Amino acid sequence: MEEYQSIPMERTGKILRRSIYTFFQNYQFFTTTAALLAFPFSASILLSQALLLSSSLLPTIHFRLSSLFDAAGFPPSLEFFTILNLKLSQTIASSIIVLPFTLSFLLFAKASIIQALNHQKPPLQPSFSSILSLYNPILVTQLCNSFVIISANATCFSLLFFAFNSLDAFGYSSPNSLLFLSAIGAVLYSIVLANTIIICNLALVSSGMDNKCGGYLAILKACVLIRGRTATALSLTLLVSMALAAVEALFQYRIMRPFHQAANPTYSMALEGMFIAYLYSILIVIETIVCVVFFKSCKMAYWVDQKSRHSYRIDIEGEAGLASANVKTIEDLP
Protein backbone atom coordinates (compact mmCIF):
# COMPACT_ATOMS: atom_id res chain seq x y z
CA MET A 1 0.00 0.00 0.00
CA GLU A 2 2.92 2.34 0.68
CA GLU A 3 4.08 1.73 -2.91
CA TYR A 4 0.75 2.92 -4.33
CA GLN A 5 0.75 5.99 -2.09
CA SER A 6 4.21 7.03 -3.28
CA ILE A 7 3.36 6.79 -6.96
CA PRO A 8 1.41 10.10 -7.22
CA MET A 9 4.50 11.90 -5.81
CA GLU A 10 6.86 10.49 -8.41
CA ARG A 11 8.74 13.01 -10.45
CA THR A 12 10.62 12.88 -13.69
CA GLY A 13 13.88 11.87 -12.01
CA LYS A 14 12.29 8.94 -10.22
CA ILE A 15 10.65 7.66 -13.40
CA LEU A 16 13.94 7.94 -15.27
CA ARG A 17 15.84 6.13 -12.51
CA ARG A 18 13.27 3.37 -12.43
CA SER A 19 13.43 3.09 -16.23
CA ILE A 20 17.22 2.82 -16.24
CA TYR A 21 17.04 0.25 -13.43
CA THR A 22 14.51 -1.76 -15.47
CA PHE A 23 16.77 -1.53 -18.51
CA PHE A 24 19.78 -2.96 -16.66
CA GLN A 25 17.62 -5.54 -14.90
CA ASN A 26 17.12 -7.34 -18.20
CA TYR A 27 20.06 -5.83 -20.06
CA GLN A 28 20.72 -8.81 -22.32
CA PHE A 29 17.22 -8.97 -23.76
CA PHE A 30 16.90 -5.21 -24.32
CA THR A 31 20.31 -4.85 -25.99
CA THR A 32 19.97 -7.90 -28.23
CA THR A 33 16.42 -8.92 -29.17
CA ALA A 34 14.63 -5.60 -28.71
CA ALA A 35 17.45 -3.43 -30.08
CA LEU A 36 18.01 -5.68 -33.10
CA LEU A 37 14.28 -5.61 -33.88
CA ALA A 38 14.40 -1.81 -33.87
CA PHE A 39 17.68 -1.64 -35.82
CA PRO A 40 16.15 -1.64 -39.37
CA PHE A 41 13.85 1.22 -38.37
CA SER A 42 16.74 3.15 -36.84
CA ALA A 43 18.87 2.70 -39.96
CA SER A 44 15.99 3.77 -42.20
CA ILE A 45 15.21 6.89 -40.15
CA LEU A 46 18.87 7.94 -40.21
CA LEU A 47 19.32 7.23 -43.90
CA SER A 48 16.03 8.87 -44.86
CA GLN A 49 17.58 12.32 -44.51
CA ALA A 50 20.16 11.39 -47.13
CA LEU A 51 17.56 9.81 -49.40
CA LEU A 52 15.47 12.97 -49.32
CA LEU A 53 18.27 14.98 -50.92
CA SER A 54 18.28 12.79 -54.02
CA SER A 55 14.52 12.23 -54.16
CA SER A 56 11.82 14.29 -55.80
CA LEU A 57 9.43 13.57 -52.94
CA LEU A 58 10.64 16.40 -50.69
CA PRO A 59 10.41 19.19 -53.33
CA THR A 60 6.95 17.98 -54.33
CA ILE A 61 5.63 18.02 -50.78
CA HIS A 62 7.30 21.38 -50.12
CA PHE A 63 5.66 22.90 -53.21
CA ARG A 64 2.23 21.52 -52.25
CA LEU A 65 2.47 22.90 -48.72
CA SER A 66 3.65 26.27 -50.03
CA SER A 67 0.64 26.42 -52.33
CA LEU A 68 -1.64 25.46 -49.43
CA PHE A 69 -0.20 28.17 -47.18
CA ASP A 70 -0.51 30.78 -49.93
CA ALA A 71 -4.12 29.79 -50.60
CA ALA A 72 -4.92 30.01 -46.88
CA GLY A 73 -3.66 33.60 -46.80
CA PHE A 74 -0.68 33.07 -44.53
CA PRO A 75 1.87 35.88 -44.90
CA PRO A 76 4.69 34.49 -47.09
CA SER A 77 7.17 37.00 -45.66
CA LEU A 78 7.07 35.49 -42.16
CA GLU A 79 10.02 33.24 -41.38
CA PHE A 80 7.80 31.13 -39.09
CA PHE A 81 5.84 29.67 -42.00
CA THR A 82 9.00 29.17 -44.05
CA ILE A 83 10.58 27.09 -41.29
CA LEU A 84 7.29 25.31 -40.58
CA ASN A 85 6.87 24.42 -44.24
CA LEU A 86 10.39 23.02 -44.45
CA LYS A 87 10.12 20.95 -41.24
CA LEU A 88 6.68 19.63 -42.18
CA SER A 89 7.91 18.67 -45.63
CA GLN A 90 10.89 16.80 -44.19
CA THR A 91 8.74 15.06 -41.56
CA ILE A 92 6.09 13.96 -44.06
CA ALA A 93 8.61 12.76 -46.63
CA SER A 94 10.68 10.91 -44.02
CA SER A 95 7.54 9.31 -42.56
CA ILE A 96 6.51 8.04 -45.99
CA ILE A 97 9.94 6.52 -46.61
CA VAL A 98 10.18 4.75 -43.23
CA LEU A 99 6.49 3.76 -43.04
CA PRO A 100 7.08 0.06 -43.88
CA PHE A 101 9.77 -0.16 -41.20
CA THR A 102 7.55 1.67 -38.71
CA LEU A 103 4.61 -0.70 -39.14
CA SER A 104 6.81 -3.79 -38.94
CA PHE A 105 10.15 -3.65 -37.11
CA LEU A 106 9.38 -0.73 -34.80
CA LEU A 107 6.03 -2.12 -33.67
CA PHE A 108 7.51 -5.58 -33.13
CA ALA A 109 10.30 -4.04 -31.02
CA LYS A 110 7.80 -2.08 -28.93
CA ALA A 111 5.58 -5.15 -28.56
CA SER A 112 8.52 -7.22 -27.29
CA ILE A 113 9.45 -4.56 -24.72
CA ILE A 114 5.86 -4.11 -23.53
CA GLN A 115 5.37 -7.86 -23.25
CA ALA A 116 8.60 -8.21 -21.28
CA LEU A 117 7.54 -5.49 -18.84
CA ASN A 118 3.94 -6.63 -18.51
CA HIS A 119 4.69 -8.54 -15.29
CA GLN A 120 5.04 -7.66 -11.63
CA LYS A 121 8.20 -9.77 -11.37
CA PRO A 122 11.50 -8.86 -13.08
CA PRO A 123 11.01 -8.93 -16.86
CA LEU A 124 11.73 -12.18 -18.64
CA GLN A 125 12.35 -12.83 -22.31
CA PRO A 126 8.92 -13.19 -23.95
CA SER A 127 8.17 -15.79 -26.59
CA PHE A 128 7.58 -14.92 -30.21
CA SER A 129 3.93 -16.03 -30.01
CA SER A 130 3.26 -13.67 -27.09
CA ILE A 131 4.89 -10.81 -28.98
CA LEU A 132 2.85 -11.63 -32.07
CA SER A 133 -0.37 -11.54 -30.04
CA LEU A 134 0.28 -7.88 -29.16
CA TYR A 135 1.05 -6.81 -32.71
CA ASN A 136 -2.55 -6.44 -33.96
CA PRO A 137 -3.82 -4.07 -31.20
CA ILE A 138 -0.59 -2.06 -31.37
CA LEU A 139 -0.88 -1.81 -35.16
CA VAL A 140 -4.48 -0.59 -34.94
CA THR A 141 -3.49 1.97 -32.32
CA GLN A 142 -0.56 3.15 -34.43
CA LEU A 143 -2.86 3.75 -37.39
CA CYS A 144 -5.31 5.62 -35.17
CA ASN A 145 -2.41 7.65 -33.77
CA SER A 146 -1.53 8.74 -37.30
CA PHE A 147 -5.04 10.07 -37.85
CA VAL A 148 -4.97 11.84 -34.48
CA ILE A 149 -1.65 13.56 -35.30
CA ILE A 150 -2.98 14.63 -38.71
CA SER A 151 -6.14 15.96 -37.05
CA ALA A 152 -4.11 17.90 -34.47
CA ASN A 153 -2.03 19.54 -37.23
CA ALA A 154 -5.15 20.34 -39.24
CA THR A 155 -6.79 21.90 -36.17
CA CYS A 156 -3.74 24.07 -35.49
CA PHE A 157 -3.61 25.24 -39.11
CA SER A 158 -7.34 26.04 -39.03
CA LEU A 159 -6.90 28.16 -35.90
CA LEU A 160 -3.94 29.95 -37.46
CA PHE A 161 -5.97 30.52 -40.62
CA PHE A 162 -8.82 32.17 -38.70
CA ALA A 163 -6.40 34.18 -36.52
CA PHE A 164 -4.39 35.67 -39.39
CA ASN A 165 -7.42 36.36 -41.56
CA SER A 166 -9.28 37.97 -38.64
CA LEU A 167 -6.25 40.12 -37.90
CA ASP A 168 -6.13 41.19 -41.53
CA ALA A 169 -9.89 41.89 -41.61
CA PHE A 170 -9.70 44.21 -38.59
CA GLY A 171 -6.78 46.12 -40.11
CA TYR A 172 -4.05 44.93 -37.74
CA SER A 173 -1.78 43.49 -40.41
CA SER A 174 1.32 45.41 -39.41
CA PRO A 175 4.66 43.51 -39.31
CA ASN A 176 4.81 43.72 -35.51
CA SER A 177 1.30 42.32 -35.12
CA LEU A 178 2.01 39.48 -37.53
CA LEU A 179 5.28 38.70 -35.77
CA PHE A 180 3.57 38.66 -32.36
CA LEU A 181 0.77 36.41 -33.61
CA SER A 182 3.22 34.04 -35.31
CA ALA A 183 5.19 33.74 -32.05
CA ILE A 184 2.02 32.86 -30.14
CA GLY A 185 1.04 30.43 -32.88
CA ALA A 186 4.43 28.72 -32.74
CA VAL A 187 4.15 28.22 -28.97
CA LEU A 188 0.58 26.92 -29.14
CA TYR A 189 1.40 24.64 -32.06
CA SER A 190 4.37 23.17 -30.20
CA ILE A 191 2.29 22.56 -27.06
CA VAL A 192 -0.58 20.92 -28.96
CA LEU A 193 1.75 18.73 -31.01
CA ALA A 194 3.81 17.70 -27.97
CA ASN A 195 0.71 16.71 -26.00
CA THR A 196 -0.65 14.81 -28.99
CA ILE A 197 2.56 12.80 -29.34
CA ILE A 198 2.57 12.06 -25.59
CA ILE A 199 -1.00 10.79 -25.70
CA CYS A 200 -0.26 8.67 -28.78
CA ASN A 201 2.79 7.07 -27.15
CA LEU A 202 0.82 6.38 -23.99
CA ALA A 203 -2.02 4.89 -26.05
CA LEU A 204 0.43 2.58 -27.81
CA VAL A 205 1.65 1.28 -24.46
CA SER A 206 -1.92 0.97 -23.21
CA SER A 207 -2.92 -1.18 -26.17
CA GLY A 208 0.04 -3.46 -25.47
CA MET A 209 -0.44 -3.70 -21.72
CA ASP A 210 -4.13 -4.48 -22.20
CA ASN A 211 -4.55 -6.16 -25.60
CA LYS A 212 -8.34 -5.87 -25.30
CA CYS A 213 -8.00 -2.09 -25.44
CA GLY A 214 -6.78 -0.86 -28.81
CA GLY A 215 -7.41 1.85 -31.35
CA TYR A 216 -9.33 4.94 -30.32
CA LEU A 217 -10.33 3.33 -27.01
CA ALA A 218 -6.64 3.24 -26.02
CA ILE A 219 -6.29 6.90 -27.00
CA LEU A 220 -9.26 7.87 -24.82
CA LYS A 221 -7.78 5.87 -21.96
CA ALA A 222 -4.48 7.71 -22.37
CA CYS A 223 -6.29 11.06 -22.28
CA VAL A 224 -7.89 10.11 -18.96
CA LEU A 225 -4.68 8.79 -17.39
CA ILE A 226 -2.53 11.79 -18.31
CA ARG A 227 -4.74 14.37 -16.59
CA GLY A 228 -2.71 16.27 -14.02
CA ARG A 229 0.55 14.68 -15.17
CA THR A 230 1.21 16.65 -18.35
CA ALA A 231 4.27 18.46 -16.98
CA THR A 232 6.00 15.19 -16.12
CA ALA A 233 5.13 13.73 -19.53
CA LEU A 234 6.45 16.82 -21.34
CA SER A 235 9.75 16.74 -19.45
CA LEU A 236 10.22 13.02 -20.17
CA THR A 237 9.41 13.50 -23.85
CA LEU A 238 11.76 16.47 -24.09
CA LEU A 239 14.69 14.54 -22.63
CA VAL A 240 14.18 11.53 -24.91
CA SER A 241 13.64 13.72 -27.98
CA MET A 242 16.86 15.63 -27.28
CA ALA A 243 18.78 12.35 -27.00
CA LEU A 244 17.36 11.06 -30.30
CA ALA A 245 18.08 14.38 -32.01
CA ALA A 246 21.67 14.27 -30.72
CA VAL A 247 22.19 10.83 -32.28
CA GLU A 248 20.71 12.04 -35.57
CA ALA A 249 23.07 15.02 -35.53
CA LEU A 250 25.97 12.69 -34.77
CA PHE A 251 25.06 10.55 -37.77
CA GLN A 252 24.94 13.60 -40.02
CA TYR A 253 28.28 14.86 -38.71
CA ARG A 254 30.22 11.58 -38.66
CA ILE A 255 28.72 9.75 -41.66
CA MET A 256 26.79 11.95 -44.07
CA ARG A 257 29.15 14.93 -44.17
CA PRO A 258 32.30 12.85 -44.87
CA PHE A 259 30.31 10.80 -47.39
CA HIS A 260 29.31 13.88 -49.37
CA GLN A 261 32.82 15.28 -49.16
CA ALA A 262 34.65 12.10 -50.15
CA ALA A 263 31.87 10.56 -52.27
CA ASN A 264 33.46 7.18 -51.55
CA PRO A 265 32.28 5.32 -48.43
CA THR A 266 34.87 3.30 -46.56
CA TYR A 267 34.55 0.14 -44.47
CA SER A 268 35.19 2.02 -41.22
CA MET A 269 32.54 4.58 -42.13
CA ALA A 270 29.99 1.80 -42.66
CA LEU A 271 30.85 0.21 -39.31
CA GLU A 272 30.56 3.55 -37.55
CA GLY A 273 27.21 4.17 -39.21
CA MET A 274 25.94 0.78 -38.02
CA PHE A 275 27.12 1.56 -34.49
CA ILE A 276 25.28 4.90 -34.50
CA ALA A 277 22.13 3.18 -35.80
CA TYR A 278 22.45 0.61 -33.00
CA LEU A 279 22.82 3.45 -30.50
CA TYR A 280 19.63 4.97 -31.91
CA SER A 281 17.92 1.59 -31.39
CA ILE A 282 19.02 1.52 -27.75
CA LEU A 283 17.46 4.96 -27.25
CA ILE A 284 14.21 3.72 -28.82
CA VAL A 285 14.23 0.82 -26.36
CA ILE A 286 14.82 3.19 -23.43
CA GLU A 287 12.07 5.49 -24.72
CA THR A 288 9.61 2.59 -24.74
CA ILE A 289 10.66 1.54 -21.24
CA VAL A 290 10.11 5.11 -20.02
CA CYS A 291 6.63 5.12 -21.59
CA VAL A 292 5.77 1.81 -19.92
CA VAL A 293 7.00 2.96 -16.50
CA PHE A 294 5.14 6.26 -16.89
CA PHE A 295 1.98 4.40 -17.94
CA LYS A 296 2.13 2.19 -14.84
CA SER A 297 2.72 5.28 -12.70
CA CYS A 298 -0.30 7.06 -14.22
CA LYS A 299 -2.48 3.97 -13.90
CA MET A 300 -1.62 3.38 -10.24
CA ALA A 301 -1.95 7.08 -9.43
CA TYR A 302 -5.36 7.15 -11.11
CA TRP A 303 -6.38 4.10 -9.05
CA VAL A 304 -5.28 5.82 -5.84
CA ASP A 305 -7.14 9.01 -6.79
CA GLN A 306 -10.33 7.11 -7.50
CA LYS A 307 -10.03 5.07 -4.30
CA SER A 308 -9.41 8.14 -2.13
CA ARG A 309 -12.29 9.96 -3.83
CA HIS A 310 -14.71 7.08 -3.19
CA SER A 311 -13.53 6.64 0.40
CA TYR A 312 -14.03 10.38 0.98
CA ARG A 313 -17.55 10.16 -0.38
CA ILE A 314 -18.28 7.17 1.87
CA ASP A 315 -17.02 9.11 4.90
CA ILE A 316 -19.18 12.09 4.00
CA GLU A 317 -22.24 9.91 3.56
CA GLY A 318 -21.50 8.19 6.86
CA GLU A 319 -21.17 11.51 8.67
CA ALA A 320 -24.38 12.76 7.05
CA GLY A 321 -26.24 9.62 8.16
CA LEU A 322 -24.92 9.99 11.70
CA ALA A 323 -25.95 13.64 11.80
CA SER A 324 -29.48 12.86 10.59
CA ALA A 325 -29.78 10.14 13.20
CA ASN A 326 -28.72 12.57 15.92
CA VAL A 327 -31.29 15.15 14.74
CA LYS A 328 -34.02 12.53 14.81
CA THR A 329 -33.03 11.53 18.34
CA ILE A 330 -33.14 15.17 19.50
CA GLU A 331 -36.56 15.71 17.94
CA ASP A 332 -37.93 12.63 19.74
CA LEU A 333 -36.96 14.06 23.10
CA PRO A 334 -39.89 15.34 25.17
Side-chain angles (χ1 to χ4, degrees):
M1 194 65 186
E2 295 178 356
E3 180 182 359
Y4 289 111
Q5 292 176 352
S6 66
I7 287 175
M9 305 301 295
E10 281 184 344
R11 299 178 180 178
T12 304
K14 291 185 178 180
I15 295 177
L16 287 176
R17 287 195 297 270
R18 181 175 298 182
S19 302
I20 298 299
Y21 172 77
T22 303
F23 175 78
F24 285 109
Q25 195 177 17
N26 202 12
Y27 177 80
Q28 185 176 2
F29 169 74
F30 289 135
T31 55
T32 55
T33 305
L36 291 178
L37 282 174
F39 182 82
F41 170 79
S42 302
S44 64
I45 198 70
L46 293 175
L47 291 173
S48 63
Q49 302 298 326
L51 296 176
L52 291 177
L53 298 177
S54 59
S55 174
S56 61
L57 182 62
L58 179 60
T60 302
I61 296 176
H62 188 272
F63 174 76
R64 298 296 182 183
L65 287 178
S66 298
S67 302
L68 181 62
F69 287 169
D70 293 339
F74 293 141
S77 58
L78 288 179
E79 188 177 359
F80 166 68
F81 290 105
T82 303
I83 299 175
L84 180 62
N85 188 3
L86 180 61
K87 295 302 295 182
L88 278 177
S89 302
Q90 292 177 349
T91 302
I92 295 173
S94 178
S95 300
I96 293 174
I97 292 176
V98 303
L99 182 61
F101 299 94
T102 302
L103 299 181
S104 56
F105 293 100
L106 179 63
L107 294 186
F108 272 114
K110 288 181 176 291
S112 66
I113 298 168
I114 294 171
Q115 183 63 24
L117 297 178
N118 195 12
H119 299 88
Q120 296 297 330
K121 296 179 180 180
L124 303 175
Q125 184 167 350
S127 62
F128 178 76
S129 59
S130 63
I131 296 174
L132 191 61
S133 64
L134 296 183
Y135 178 74
N136 287 334
I138 289 179
L139 176 62
V140 174
T141 306
Q142 178 68 24
L143 295 176
C144 294
N145 287 343
S146 301
F147 288 110
V148 170
I149 294 175
I150 293 174
S151 301
N153 282 276
T155 302
C156 291
F157 291 147
S158 300
L159 294 176
L160 290 174
F161 168 76
F162 285 114
F164 278 97
N165 282 275
S166 298
L167 196 69
D168 187 39
F170 287 106
Y172 294 101
S173 57
S174 62
N176 292 331
S177 300
L178 295 176
L179 182 61
F180 178 73
L181 185 59
S182 63
I184 296 177
V187 174
L188 292 178
Y189 178 76
S190 301
I191 293 175
V192 171
L193 191 60
N195 282 276
T196 303
I197 294 175
I198 290 169
I199 292 174
C200 290
N201 290 335
L202 205 62
L204 203 67
V205 173
S206 175
S207 62
M209 299 293 288
D210 184 8
N211 53 13
K212 296 180 181 179
C213 175
Y216 288 108
L217 186 60
I219 296 175
L220 293 176
K221 184 177 180 180
C223 293
V224 173
L225 291 177
I226 204 173
R227 288 187 305 177
R229 304 167 187 89
T230 308
T232 302
L234 285 173
S235 59
L236 290 172
T237 304
L238 179 62
L239 292 174
V240 176
S241 299
M242 290 176 61
L244 293 173
V247 176
E248 292 178 4
L250 179 64
F251 184 82
Q252 294 294 325
Y253 176 76
R254 293 293 302 172
I255 305 301
M256 298 312 303
R257 193 181 71 165
F259 174 77
H260 290 298
Q261 291 178 352
N264 187 17
T266 60
Y267 183 73
S268 60
M269 187 184 299
L271 287 179
E272 187 176 1
M274 293 177 62
F275 174 75
I276 296 175
Y278 178 75
L279 181 61
Y280 196 89
S281 301
I282 294 294
L283 289 179
I284 291 177
V285 172
I286 295 176
E287 178 192 18
T288 308
I289 296 174
V290 170
C291 289
V292 173
V293 173
F294 180 65
F295 172 79
K296 289 183 177 181
S297 173
C298 292
K299 192 173 181 179
M300 292 181 182
Y302 178 79
W303 181 82
V304 171
D305 292 340
Q306 293 298 316
K307 185 176 180 180
S308 61
R309 186 177 303 174
H310 289 306
S311 62
Y312 176 76
R313 185 175 63 184
I314 292 173
D315 292 340
I316 292 297
E317 290 177 353
E319 292 176 0
L322 181 61
S324 62
N326 291 333
V327 170
K328 185 177 180 180
T329 305
I330 293 173
E331 290 177 352
D332 291 340
L333 291 175

